[in-house]
């Protein structure tokens, strides 16, 4: 187990290193930051001075190492817009993003699990039909449009909830629903098909041959076994969720990391972009590490292999 | 005495499992461990053992589908293990393999006629439709089936298609890897008879891998018994079946069900723990005379 | 009196809009204390009918079209699912073919053995686990108390089948249905399981239905053999009589196609030509007729009923229009 | 072909048929849009700003789905937008599909260090939410159509590579591939004749599911202003522009979003059906 943890940790670090490299390459493609930073009409001398100040006159591999070293220390440089460390700008916005992502995941897992189980239990009935139809629609509705529709309905027409911003729990409801819909739909569909598959397994037949009550069979022999693919899915969905948060935050003017990244991109404030992307990638890697551990808890076969 | 067509010497294949990014392998499975045997031209050697005994791996090593960790496979005087894959190609004409699972052994996206024709094309042999049709007839199939896809055939028919492909290049030697295990009882005899016919008409030598001991006794002139990667007993079939010396062979023979109620009622099965059995130190195959070998320690 | 009496059981299967009567109408009985060996190839309906009896047949694609199956005075097919559930795992135990998939991989062995005890014997988890340890000892697994907390993947195939047996006999069933329980096992392990089952049967005085495709296995364990083909009983009777004097061309062909000893020079196995019928388009008449060299014209048009063999022991029955001994003579 | 038809018309297949029909209609509209008698999608008309939808289809000059804040006809903009969207998404999925399938084949067939490096690359890319990756790259390279296709292809090759590799690993061990090796068939022959035909259908399934993802991703980028640039109409951009007028003109955001949802739904339905038909095991991804 310890060895497994270590090897997964190394995998995660390699992945983050890869992200760092991609971020570095992309940011160098962005063009000469010195030109972007200085007002139009700056002299060549001023440019040279700034380049030296940013370390842009060094050979590329040295810049890379400097950049890597900075990342390790959590130093992404100062934000061009805010004139203070980019990482702290990003971290300030973290609570908002985490609140949104957590509520969306909660919505998705709870609603999705209930809906998926219902669909599997009542297969061939209207319940399954309705759940699956909603899930199909939920998977097909882009977050930004869903967000706009919800605003139109609940904020503009009914005036029940705020259109956006970050004031109290009421303002969390619409963004969390918006962001959680895709997760709900995906989990519902996966759980249903997983359960229907497990129901065909030999060991469920064994359980029924024991004369166990339907509730026992469902809970211990179907649901318990169907959780494993769902847990894997949650890891993948976390990525969708974090990516979706970029758009959702923009739609609802939610002061999170996603919106910050988009704004920083428009302002060519790439230390903030880099720090934001790194933070999100790190969260994603950590989530997947947890998913892997959970996976082992659920499946003794995998536990044994570690 | 003629020279053997196939000589296998000290063949070894170990699998490592477990381990990760930095760790070394945690378990080593000795799939095949110091296996040696000969097959004479036209002869049928049976290779028996339970699942995981290494008999199928041995067949794959002989065919060069897997590289051995040690040992040699000598075919008609040439050491195949030292050859590059292009040097090996001419030998592929002369030795072929038939697989266990007739459902997995055919390419589901290829017409069976093309599938049987493929070896002829690969080796630049005469590959016209007449030649393929003749092969279909040889294995007892209607050449009209050539245009069909595998899913349209029954298990027995698929196995015939697999055999047609294997004999397309008129090989001298065939590995038959549990060719009847997956078939219905009423079909098994058809396939065994087909093997027998081919052997008589083409002079094929056969390495017949199986776990059905009654069939091996019937079909093979010599038999080798494998246990956990090693041959524990080998010899002329009647010697091994009539006078088994290794406790594992004895247990195996005592367990074969015979379709005779009177015999079964009087049966006493010998206990043998295949997983827990410890090979004696310095065990080697020792000749009991008449080509009957048993794996024994030095003291015996 | 028969412990289990099946009358005219008929089962169908739907696939891709086509329908097959895989069992056109099956009638037989099992006496209390008897071991019935049912032999057949894939598609003979031997496993399907057993699942249908216990309400375990997946429906759809399967469908029970009619018939009765009276167990201990009550019709299993007419029973409510709740009453059938009380019998399953309690008075009727079942063992399946593939021990690698028949156990739940994520639950401990102990829990899986304890479940039927808690369900049918109203035991607490603790009592059930104690009993489960005894059951493991009974099926020849040493160190049972420790192994209860292990998972199926920590057991070999033979050991898993022993666990399945422990589950099936946990509530001391009157009837045990074993569906190819040794097919997936190696020969020596199969031998051990056969010995174990025979011993348990005698000790617990169980009635047993043993489903297999292996004539050798039936010869060893069964009192009565019943040979099935295409959903029908071709022949049935005491094992000694049927093996010594088969009256169905199918039974005869099966026995003859098996090798006996070593091959005489130039010898060939007797083979049954052709392949089993497509149940979506079964032949009219005797389903074996197209493969049967002894078939009479009547065989091809009219299915023969299962009738007693006049000059054999009582209970020996065959479904054939032809008289095999006379044809062979 | 007959089998496909039978499966499509089976009870569970009608959803797939629905998806396929929707998709065909959409593609036909996109192709023949310019020949329809509709207002120019880029022509502004400040006197007809934010006209509410009228459903009088055949009256000339009317706007069945209304007009936007610049008086442009929404219906013709949606149809014009579908051209761009389908072209960009189609090209990206094709490009990503070919690249991913190729790399997955190589990775799975040859194994070894090539496989290790490729799969590590896949892991790394999967550690980065797609939206962010696409955002970064588009921001760096500039939002031209070609760059957009490139970025979307870059984002989608991973899934093909993964699925195809997994399939190759499974197919490679199948006995007919062993048999091809036993007769001495060359690597290209084995890959092309025996492996590729058996992994193409899973790749096709991935392609449909990817198409849906890429369409949404492209719309998202356009919504954020980093995708398709004006004057080319795009659904995402229309949504972004309509946001401001959400309280006065609901139709500006409703119809482009509906078009987007229907498109994704159609593709998903078709993809689900293809998956169930060809290989239910792909359901868990």
């Amino acid at each position: 187990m310890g060895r497994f943890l270590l090897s997964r940790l190394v995998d995660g670090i390699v992945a983050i290193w890869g992200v760092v490299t991609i971020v570095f390459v992309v940011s160098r493609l962005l063009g000469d930051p010195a030109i972007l930073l200085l007002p139009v009409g700056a002299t060549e001398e001023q440019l040279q001075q700034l380049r030296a100040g940013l370390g842009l006159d060094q050979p590329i591999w040295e810049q890379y190492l400097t950049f890597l070293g900075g990342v390790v220390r959590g130093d992404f440089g100062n934000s061009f817009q805010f004139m203070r460390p980019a990482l702290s700008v990003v971290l300030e916005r973290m609570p908002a993003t985490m609140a949104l992502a957590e509520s969306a995941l909660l919505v998705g897992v709870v609603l999705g699990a209930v809906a998926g189980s219902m669909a599997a239990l009542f297969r061939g009935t209207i319940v399954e039909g309705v759940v699956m139809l909603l899930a199909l629609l939920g998977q097909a509705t882009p977050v930004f449009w869903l967000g706009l529709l919800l605003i139109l309905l609940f904020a503009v027409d009914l005036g029940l909830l705020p259109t956006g911003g970050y004031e109290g729990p009421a303002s969390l409801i619409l963004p969390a629903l918006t962001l959680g819909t895709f997760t709900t739909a995906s989990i519902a569909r996966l759980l249903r098909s997983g359960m229907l598959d497990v129901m065909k397994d030999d060991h469920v037949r064994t359980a029924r041959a024991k004369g166990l009550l339907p509730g026992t069979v469902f809970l211990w022999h179907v649901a318990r076994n169907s959780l494993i693919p769902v847990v894997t899915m949650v890891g993948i969905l976390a990525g969708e969720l974090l990516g979706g948060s970029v758009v959702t935050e923009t739609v609802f003017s939610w002061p999170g990391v996603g919106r910050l990244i988009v704004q920083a991109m428009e302002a060519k404030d790439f230390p903030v972009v880099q720090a934001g992307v790194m933070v999100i990638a790190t969260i994603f890697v950590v989530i997947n590490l947890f998913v892997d551990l959970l996976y082992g808890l659920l499946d003794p076969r995998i536990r044994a292999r570690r | 005495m003629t020279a053997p067509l196939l000589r296998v010497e000290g063949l070894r294949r170990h699998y490592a499992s477990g381990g990760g990014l930095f760790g070394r392998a945690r378990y080593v499975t000795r799939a095949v461990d110091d296996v040696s045997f000969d097959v004479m031209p036209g002869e049928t050697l049976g290779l028996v053992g339970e699942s995981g005994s290494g008999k199928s791996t041995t067949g794959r090593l002989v065919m060069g589908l897997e590289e051995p960790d040690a040992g040699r496979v000598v075919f008609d005087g040439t050491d195949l293990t030292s050859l590059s894959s292009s040097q090996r190609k001419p030998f592929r004409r002369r030795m072929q393999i038939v697989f266990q699972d007739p459902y997995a052994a055919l390419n589901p996206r290829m017409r069976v006629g093309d599938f049987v024709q493929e070896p002829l094309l690969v080796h630049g042999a005469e590959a016209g439709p007449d030649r393929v049709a003749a092969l279909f007839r040889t294995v007892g199939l209607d050449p009209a089936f050539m245009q069909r896809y595998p899913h349209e055939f029954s298990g027995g028919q698929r196995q015939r298609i697999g055999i047609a492909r294997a004999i397309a290049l008129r090989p001298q030697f065939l590995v038959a890897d549990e060719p009847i295990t997956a078939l219905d009882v009423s079909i098994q005899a058809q396939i065994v008879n087909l093997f027998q016919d081919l052997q008589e008409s083409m002079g094929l030598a056969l390495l017949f891998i199986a776990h059905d001991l009654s069939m091996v006794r019937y079909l093979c002139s010599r038999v080798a018994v494998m246990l956990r990667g090693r041959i524990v007993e080998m010899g002329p079939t009647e010697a091994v079946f009539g006078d088994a010396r290794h406790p594992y062979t004895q247990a195996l023979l005592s367990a074969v069900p015979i379709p005779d109620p009177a015999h079964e009622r009087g049966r006493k099965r010998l206990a043998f723990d295949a997983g827990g059995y410890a090979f004696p130190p310095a065990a080697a195959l020792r000749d009991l005379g008449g080509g009957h070998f048993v794996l024994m320690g030095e003291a015996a | 009196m028969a412990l289990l009496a099946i009358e005219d059981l008929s089962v169908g299967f739907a696939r891709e809009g086509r329908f097959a009567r895989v069992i056109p109408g099956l009638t037989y009985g099992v006496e209390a204390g008897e071991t019935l060996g049912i032999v057949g190839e894939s598609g003979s309906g031997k496993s399907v009918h057993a699942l249908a009896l216990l309400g375990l047949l997946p429906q759809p694609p399967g469908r029970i079209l009619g018939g009765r199956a009276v167990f201990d005075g009550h019709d299993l097919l007419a029973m409510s699912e709740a009453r059938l559930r009380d019998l399953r795992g309690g008075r009727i135990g079942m063992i399946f073919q593939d021990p690698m998939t028949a156990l739940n991989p994520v639950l401990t062995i102990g829990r899986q053995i304890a479940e039927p005890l808690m369900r049918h014997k109203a035991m607490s988890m603790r009592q059930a686990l104690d009993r489960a340890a005894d059951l493991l000892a009974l099926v020849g697994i040493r160190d049972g108390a420790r192994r209860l907390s292990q998972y199926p993947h920590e057991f070999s195939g033979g050991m898993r089948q022993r666990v399945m047996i422990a589950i099936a006999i946990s509530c001391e069933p009157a009837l045990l249905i074993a569906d190819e329980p040794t097919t997936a096992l190696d020969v020596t392990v199969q031998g051990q399981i056969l010995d174990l089952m025979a011993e348990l049967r005698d000790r617990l005085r169980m009635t047993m239905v043993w489903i297999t495709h292996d004539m050798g296995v039936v010869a060893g364990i069964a009192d009565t053999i019943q040979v099935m083909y295409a959903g029908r009983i071709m022949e049935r009777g005491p094992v000694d009589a049927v093996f010594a004097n088969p009256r169905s061309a199918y039974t005869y062909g099966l026995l003859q196609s098996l090798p006996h000893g070593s091959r005489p020079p130039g010898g060939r196995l007797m083979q049954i030509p052709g392949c089993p019928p497509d149940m979506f388009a079964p032949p009219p008449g005797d389903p074996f007729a197209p493969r049967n060299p002894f078939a009479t014209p009547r065989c091809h048009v009219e299915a023969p009923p299962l009738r007693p063999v006049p000059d054999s022991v009582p209970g020996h029955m065959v479904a054939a229009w032809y008289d095999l001994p006379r044809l062979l003579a | 072909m007959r089998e496909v038809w039978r499966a499509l018309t089976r009870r569970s297949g009608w959803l797939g048929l629905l998806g396929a029909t929707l998709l065909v209609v959409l593609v036909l509209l996109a192709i023949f849009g310019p020949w329809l008698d509709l207002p120019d999608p880029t022509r502004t008309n400040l006197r007809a700003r934010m006209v509410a939808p009228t459903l009088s289809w055949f009256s000339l000059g009317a706007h069945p789905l209304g007009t936007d804040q610049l008086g442009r006809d929404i219906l013709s903009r949606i149809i014009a937008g579908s051209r761009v969207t389908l072209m960009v998404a189609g090209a990206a999925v094709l490009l990503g599909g070919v690249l991913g399938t190729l790399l997955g084949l190589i990775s799975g067939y040859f194994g070894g260090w090539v496989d290790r490096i490729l799969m590590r690359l896949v892991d790394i890319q999967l550690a980065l939410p797609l939206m962010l990756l696409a955002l970064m790259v588009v921001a760096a390279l500039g939002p031209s159509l070609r760059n957009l296709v490139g970025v979307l292809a870059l984002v989608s090759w991973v899934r093909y590579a993964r699925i195809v590799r997994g399939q190759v690993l499974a197919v490679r061990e199948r006995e007919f591939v062993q048999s091809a090796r036993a007769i001495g068939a060359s690597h290209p022959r084995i890959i092309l004749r025996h492996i590729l035909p058996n992994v193409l259908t899973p790749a096709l399934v991935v392609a449909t599911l990817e198409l849906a993802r890429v369409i949404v991703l492209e719309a998202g980028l356009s919504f954020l202003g980093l995708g398709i640039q004006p004057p080319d109409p795009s659904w995402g951009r229309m949504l972004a522009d309509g946001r401001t007028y959400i309280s006065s003109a609901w139709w500006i955001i409703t119809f482009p979003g509906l078009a987007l949802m229907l498109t994704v739904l159609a593709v998903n339905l078709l993809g689900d059906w293809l998956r169930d038909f060809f290989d239910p095991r792909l359901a868990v991804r």
Side-chain angles (χ1 to χ4, degrees), chain B residues 12-19 24-33 69 228:
Chain B
R12 185 185 305 156
R13 180 82 174 98
H14 292 179
Y15 293 114
S17 61
R24 245 164 299 160
R26 279 183 288 179
Y27 318 101
V28 171
T29 311
R30 299 173 168 228
V32 174
D33 202 6
D69 297 329
R228 294 196 352 244

Side-chain angles (χ1 to χ4, degrees), chain D:
Chain D
M1 212 50 222
R2 200 182 313 141
E3 258 171 75
V4 174
W5 179 249
R6 203 189 303 143
L8 260 178
T9 49
R10 250 200 330 241
R11 199 164 55 96
S12 60
W14 69 272
L15 277 175
L17 195 64
L18 180 71
T21 315
L22 270 173
L23 210 58
V24 168
V25 168
L26 199 81
V27 170
L28 288 180
L29 267 181
I31 293 173
F32 296 109
W35 283 275
L36 292 176
D37 186 20
L38 286 169
D40 181 346
T42 56
R43 214 198 71 188
T44 59
N45 178 1
L46 294 180
R47 273 177 303 172
R49 291 176 60 214
M50 296 199 273
V51 173
T54 59
L55 288 175
S56 51
W57 254 104
F58 300 103
S59 60
L60 210 71
H63 304 289
L65 301 183
T67 63
D68 66 4
Q69 69 285 358
L70 296 176
R72 294 171 296 194
D73 181 57
I74 290 184
L75 179 61
S76 36
R77 283 181 70 73
I78 286 178
I79 291 177
S82 72
R83 283 171 77 83
V84 185
T85 293
L86 287 180
M87 254 158 40
V88 168
V93 166
L94 198 68
L95 212 63
V98 171
L99 185 73
T101 304
L102 202 69
L103 292 178
L105 271 176
I106 292 170
S107 198
Y109 186 76
F110 292 104
W113 60 268
V114 183
D115 182 38
R116 277 206 290 280
I117 288 178
L118 274 171
M119 285 307 114
R120 205 24 42 108
L121 216 60
V122 165
D123 284 349
I124 289 171
Q125 190 169 329
L126 286 178
L128 203 76
L130 297 182
M131 194 71 190
L132 281 182
L133 182 69
L135 266 179
M136 271 179 16
V137 178
V138 174
L141 298 175
S144 74
L145 270 187
R146 205 182 50 194
N147 287 349
L148 198 60
V149 170
V151 165
L152 295 174
L154 192 72
V155 160
S156 75
W157 74 274
V158 178
R159 280 160 197 264
Y160 293 97
R162 255 207 164 171
I163 299 269
V164 168
R165 171 180 177 270
Q167 294 286 313
V168 171
L169 287 183
V171 173
R172 199 179 60 171
E173 295 310 314
R174 299 264 292 275
E175 292 178 339
F176 65 83
V177 176
Q178 300 294 323
S179 160
R181 293 181 53 209
I183 62 166
S186 61
H187 289 311
R189 183 178 190 96
I190 293 176
I191 292 178
L192 292 177
R193 295 278 284 164
H194 294 284
I195 293 187
L196 188 61
N198 286 292
V199 302
L200 264 187
T201 43
L204 187 69
V205 172
V206 179
T208 54
L209 300 175
E210 267 319 280
L211 188 64
R213 294 169 57 81
V214 163
I215 288 173
V216 173
L217 202 58
E218 180 272 311
L221 286 175
S222 299
F223 181 76
L224 295 175
L226 285 163
I228 295 161
Q229 296 300 304
D232 279 338
S234 83
W235 296 344
R237 192 78 191 195
M238 289 167 80
L239 287 174
D241 292 344
R243 260 181 86 192
T244 327
Y245 308 96
I246 190 165
S247 51
S248 50
W250 55 269
W251 54 90
I252 304 183
I253 60 148
T254 304
F255 292 117
L258 203 60
L260 188 52
M261 190 193 77
L262 280 180
T263 311
V264 174
L265 188 66
V267 176
N268 275 344
L269 287 176
L270 187 66
D272 281 352
W273 174 80
L274 278 177
R275 183 188 61 200
D276 292 347
F277 179 62
F278 286 121
D279 195 354
R281 278 166 304 149
L282 286 172
V284 179
R285 283 211 304 149

Side-chain angles (χ1 to χ4, degrees), chain B residues 50 190 196-197 265 269, chain C residues 41 188 195 240 267-268 272:
Chain B
E50 304 196 335
Q190 296 176 2
Q196 221 171 284
D197 294 345
R265 267 192 290 276
R269 293 187 182 90
Chain C
E41 299 175 79
T188 52
D195 286 345
D240 293 286
R268 285 168 61 92
I272 302 175

Side-chain angles (χ1 to χ4, degrees), chain A residues 29-72:
Chain A
L29 291 174
L30 268 170
D32 187 347
I35 295 176
L36 297 171
L37 271 177
L38 290 174
V40 184
T43 62
E44 186 59 27
E45 198 177 319
Q46 282 171 308
L47 282 174
Q48 286 298 348
Q49 213 175 340
L50 187 64
R51 286 197 189 110
L54 293 172
L56 296 174
D57 51 351
Q58 307 289 323
I60 190 81
W61 59 270
E62 220 162 278
Q63 290 182 37
Y64 176 62
L65 288 182
T66 314
F67 181 72
L68 261 187
V71 169
V72 170

Side-chain angles (χ1 to χ4, degrees), chain A residues 123 204-215 217, chain C residues 51-59 64 75-89 119-120:
Chain A
R123 65 180 181 285
V204 174
R205 188 176 60 186
T206 306
R208 295 186 56 218
K210 291 177 191 173
L212 301 183
L213 298 173
V217 174
Chain C
L51 292 176
L53 289 184
L54 297 184
L56 294 175
L57 184 72
Q59 302 188 59
I64 296 173
D75 183 1
L76 297 173
L77 301 180
M79 221 174 252
S80 72
E81 169 66 18
R83 282 196 61 200
L84 194 55
R85 238 178 351 244
D86 289 338
L87 286 178
R88 281 201 305 253
R119 165 78 174 89
H120 297 289

